[in-house]
Amino acid sequence: FNQMVQGLRERKDMQRFVSESTVEMIQTKTDRTREGERIRQTIFFSDIRGFTRMSEEQPPEETIRILNRCLSLQAELVKKCHGDVDKFVGDSVVAVFGGEDMALNAIRCAVEIQKALDLDNIEHADAPSLKVGIGIVTGEIIMGSIGSSDRRDFTVVGSNVNLCSRLCGAAGPHEI
C-alpha cells in the first residue's frame, strides 16, 4: 500500500514536468506515440527580452526566481486561454492552441500576458523589468513523440513552428 501511495505521489509530481498533451498521449497509448500526426493548430512562442544580460547581472537564485515568476504567469494565462504549454526552453514558452477559436485564444493570451507583465513589473519595481516578444502562427504542424530511445518529448515540429519562432525573434519588447 505504501509503495502504491508513493507511486501516486511520484506520478502527480512528474505530471508537473510534462505538457497536458503528453499526459493525454501516455494515458490513451495511441499510435501518435510512435508515428506522429499532421494537424492544424496555433503555435505560440514568447521570449523574455534582455534575459541573458539580466541573468549575468543577478545571482543564480534570483535569476531562477525571476524566471519562474515570469514563466508561471505566462503558463497560467496559456491555460486560462485554453492552450497547452508544450515546453519551456530557457526563457521561452512554447504553447499550442487547438479548437475552433485557437487563433483568437492565442491572441487573447498574448495580450493578457503583455498586460499582466506590465502589472507584475509595477508590483516588483525593485526587480529587473520583464518584457516579452511573442510570435503566433496558425497552420499545419506535426505532433509526435520525438527523441532517442532513452529520452523523448511529445512535441510539435514543422515549418509553421519554425516560422513562429522567427516571428517571436523579430518581435520587440511588448510586441506580438
Side-chain angles (χ1 to χ4, degrees):
F1 181 75
N2 288 340
Q3 287 178 336
M4 182 182 70
V5 169
Q6 179 64 27
L8 290 172
R9 282 188 187 129
E10 288 172 1
R11 180 179 177 181
K12 183 180 180 205
D13 288 344
M14 286 178 27
Q15 284 182 330
R16 293 185 341 186
F17 290 92
V18 297
S19 66
E20 288 180 28
S21 60
T22 300
V23 172
E24 180 185 312
M25 179 270 304
I26 291 168
Q27 290 173 339
T28 60
K29 295 184 175 147
T30 65
D31 284 340
R32 287 178 14 184
T33 62
R34 289 176 305 195
E35 298 173 7
E37 68 178 323
R38 199 175 297 275
I39 57 174
R40 182 174 171 79
Q41 289 204 320
T42 297
I43 309 303
F44 172 105
F45 272 66
S46 74
D47 184 69
I48 302 173
R49 299 301 178 237
F51 179 76
T52 301
R53 182 176 27 82
M54 184 209 56
S55 69
E56 292 169 351
E57 297 170 354
Q58 299 293 321
E61 59 278 359
E62 181 67 9
T63 299
I64 296 300
R65 189 185 67 70
I66 292 168
L67 181 60
N68 286 338
R69 186 179 83 229
C70 183
L71 296 178
S72 294
L73 178 149
Q74 292 181 75
E76 288 172 20
L77 290 170
V78 166
K79 188 172 187 173
K80 176 185 169 196
C81 293
H82 311 290
D84 183 27
V85 172
D86 180 63
K87 65 176 63 100
F88 300 108
V89 182
D91 62 318
S92 298
V93 175
V94 180
V96 293
F97 291 79
E100 190 174 311
D101 294 329
M102 60 188 165
L104 184 58
N105 287 337
I107 293 167
R108 284 182 178 141
C109 180
V111 170
E112 287 194 36
I113 285 171
Q114 298 291 15
K115 289 179 182 177
L117 282 174
D118 286 344
L119 291 174
D120 188 75
N121 286 329
I122 292 168
E123 290 174 18
H124 297 93
D126 57 328
S129 182
L130 298 172
K131 300 172 189 78
V132 297
I134 298 174
I136 300 172
V137 171
T138 298
E140 190 175 85
I141 59 169
I142 297 171
M143 180 179 275
S145 181
I146 298 165
S148 70
S149 60
D150 294 351
R151 171 73 166 81
R152 296 177 95 54
D153 285 327
F154 189 71
T155 191
V156 295
V157 295
S159 62
N160 285 309
V161 177
N162 291 339
L163 175 60
C164 189
S165 175
R166 288 186 180 112
L167 290 175
C168 178
H174 298 288
E175 289 186 343
I176 303 166

